[in-house]
Amino acid sequence: MTAHTHSHTHLPAASDPAPVTAARIGIGGPVGSGKTALIERLIPVLQARGIDFAVVTNDLVTKEDAERLRRSGLIDPARVEAVEAGACPHTVIREDPTLNIAAGDDLEARFPGLQLIVFESGGDNLASTFSLDLVDWWIFVIDVAGGDDIPRKRGPGVLRCDLLVVNKTDLAPHVGVDLDGMLAEARRARGEKPVIATNARTGAGVEAVADAIARAVLFAP
Amino acid sequence: MLADLIALQQADAAFPSGSFAFSNGVEGLAAADPGFGEAALARSVAAALAFRWAGTDRVALILAHRADGDAGRLAAIDAAVEAASMAEPMRTGSRRNGASLLAAHARLGTPGAADLRRVVREGGLLGHLPTVQGALWRALGLPERSAALVSGYQFASGLTSAAVRLGAVGAIEAQRVLSGALPLIAEHLERPVPEPEDGAIVLTGLTPFIEIAAMRQAQAELRLFAN
């Protein structure tokens, strides 16, 4: 293959990186805890509040989560980006978040005025944490059916996230979980950091999650 | 000494570049052959080094390094890489990987990185990985030889580490394959870089088996890597 040079214009001198404008938040948590379901519930709530947002998903083995959101009818499919995790869901949000950073930057370039970008991690384990190079603030989602001993195990995800969401509260009586005890344990483990109980199937608790996002990164009162 | 340390930093898998998400055909090869293991990986790495890296990525990277920030020359090199990458997953992968590496360097404040990124965004460059590496590593002060060395090492280690994460080989087996690839990299580094007087960019490469495997894998329902 051959090609020829066209000009000899040198690149301009170094300058500061372009400023990041949209707030970036992460949503992580174990497989099946309800991250995508929570986002599906959050979308209409954020839209009703007039928030201009987009989503980047990190599916582990498919683009299923991205396709689920694109086909949901809830959001312009162009506002959903999928980033492959190369078999390492924690790497793409922590050790090497550059693919996600680039995807977020692309969304900002395509949608000027974007206020919020939500990065959904692929399902991982309790040690999953987001790099603050990628996000300003992040949520960790666990679910009641995963067992009421999850908060007691004090994984880094549970302890270090800015907001812990305990999802699938409706399942507590069916899986032998004392929900109040589980929430109390989670609050003990996290000290001052917030915990919100949700049922993404019915939407219970989702407004409170949206309030927390708006207060944390969108300067809502 | 400092240039050597910078080379180590750039070659380190811990340096965020997005490369971990690209198997560059290994996932497709493993999917097509249930017996894909150490021997097959070694053959694949040797073939990819000889018939892709040596004549395409290596040459493009060295020419980009020699371009010394000349935007027109970098665009021409980039266009040649695009034309030499017939398989869509490899072509897209190279551009995405280049974009990720640029994102990291722009945030680190590497001289010229933010501007290079702006040129890519404005469509003045495609931003293929070897073009971006050549430009950035020159800006960081890496000598041409070191830049090519890092490129070759990363090319091979990217293939072997993808094979580990796919479960096709063990970590020790992967290092054995990588050890076997090192003399090949050294040998290819000695090959001249074609640089005709008319400024033509001559890239040569053909890895049909790997590229077909990557194209097949791109259609798969289940996959772990971007290509």
Side-chain angles (χ1 to χ4, degrees):
Chain A
M1 303 288 173
T2 63
H4 295 267
T5 55
H6 301 293
S7 77
H8 292 281
T9 308
H10 273 69
L11 293 169
S15 64
D16 291 335
V20 172
T21 54
R24 300 182 178 205
I25 67 168
I27 298 184
V31 177
S33 60
K35 298 179 291 299
T36 308
L38 177 64
I39 291 172
E40 284 174 334
R41 283 289 178 180
L42 274 171
I43 287 171
V45 174
L46 297 173
Q47 286 169 338
R49 297 180 185 206
I51 297 167
D52 190 346
F53 68 96
V55 181
V56 179
T57 68
N58 295 171
D59 289 338
L60 184 56
V61 292
T62 64
K63 290 190 174 180
E64 189 173 310
D65 288 346
E67 287 305 316
R68 178 171 156 184
L69 289 176
R70 284 177 182 143
R71 292 173 183 168
S72 68
L74 296 168
I75 183 170
D76 174 2
R79 286 173 177 260
V80 180
E81 283 281 328
V83 166
E84 300 84 348
C88 295
H90 51 271
T91 302
V92 77
I93 63 167
R94 189 174 58 203
E95 285 86 352
D96 186 352
T98 50
L99 276 168
N100 272 322
I101 289 172
D105 293 351
D106 286 345
L107 283 165
E108 279 195 44
R110 278 194 280 132
F111 297 100
L114 206 60
Q115 295 169 284
L116 179 70
I117 302 175
V118 179
F119 291 88
E120 181 192 357
S121 168
D124 206 334
N125 58 33
L126 298 180
S128 169
T129 56
F130 275 86
S131 164
L132 295 183
D133 287 329
L134 175 63
V135 298
D136 305 297
W137 186 89
W138 59 284
I139 299 171
F140 197 72
V141 182
I142 60 174
D143 76 283
V144 166
D148 54 7
D149 56 345
I150 290 181
R152 184 176 49 74
K153 290 178 179 173
R154 287 169 164 69
V158 170
L159 295 181
R160 295 184 51 198
C161 64
D162 296 293
L163 171 64
L164 179 68
V165 167
V166 181
N167 191 29
K168 304 187 187 179
T169 51
D170 56 318
L171 294 184
H174 306 294
V175 292
V177 164
D178 169 10
L179 178 60
D180 291 337
M182 184 177 180
L183 292 172
E185 182 64 41
R187 292 190 171 104
R188 261 196 302 279
R190 287 176 50 76
E192 299 293 312
K193 290 183 173 179
V195 178
I196 294 176
T198 62
N199 177 353
R201 183 160 288 183
T202 64
V206 174
E207 287 282 352
V209 174
D211 288 342
I213 294 168
R215 277 197 304 271
V217 297
L218 299 172
F219 307 108
Chain B
M1 176 66 85
L2 184 58
D4 289 342
L5 289 168
I6 293 170
L8 287 173
Q9 183 190 21
Q10 296 302 311
D12 190 346
F15 189 94
S17 67
S19 295
F20 74 94
F22 300 87
S23 85
N24 288 310
V26 172
E27 184 170 25
L29 291 171
D33 174 10
F36 189 87
E38 183 178 341
L41 177 64
R43 285 195 301 273
S44 303
V45 170
L49 280 169
F51 302 113
R52 172 71 196 186
W53 179 74
T56 304
D57 297 55
R58 179 187 67 100
V59 173
L61 172 128
I62 288 173
L63 294 178
H65 191 280
R66 291 178 186 172
D68 191 18
D70 179 335
R73 181 70 174 163
L74 289 175
I77 295 163
D78 232 10
V81 175
E82 177 88 356
S85 308
M86 284 187 288
E88 191 274 339
M90 310 296 248
R91 193 167 61 245
T92 308
S94 172
R95 289 167 70 160
R96 287 185 66 200
N97 203 164
S100 292
L101 184 66
L102 260 182
H105 280 281
R107 276 166 172 70
L108 283 167
T110 298
D115 296 305
L116 196 58
R117 197 169 190 226
R118 180 181 50 73
V119 175
V120 172
R121 289 197 169 282
E122 291 171 354
L125 273 179
L126 298 167
H128 278 288
L129 183 63
T131 317
V132 169
Q133 287 173 327
L136 291 174
W137 291 346
R138 173 159 189 137
L140 283 173
L142 275 192
E144 176 184 302
R145 175 85 173 177
S146 299
L149 201 68
V150 172
S151 163
Y153 180 80
Q154 285 186 332
F155 185 92
S157 70
L159 300 176
T160 56
S161 64
V164 172
R165 274 179 282 139
L166 287 163
V169 297
I172 303 298
E173 289 176 307
Q175 288 305 314
R176 208 153 41 216
V177 172
L178 191 54
S179 296
L182 298 181
L184 302 178
I185 296 170
E187 186 183 320
H188 294 312
L189 280 169
E190 298 305 323
R191 287 166 58 172
V193 172
E195 219 172 353
E197 285 182 8
D198 64 357
I201 295 157
V202 182
L203 303 183
T204 54
L206 184 66
T207 51
F209 189 65
I210 297 172
E211 291 173 26
I212 289 168
M215 287 190 284
R216 289 181 61 173
Q217 189 63 16
Q219 306 302 319
E221 283 294 314
L222 299 178
R223 59 190 175 91
L224 297 170
F225 289 86
N227 70 8

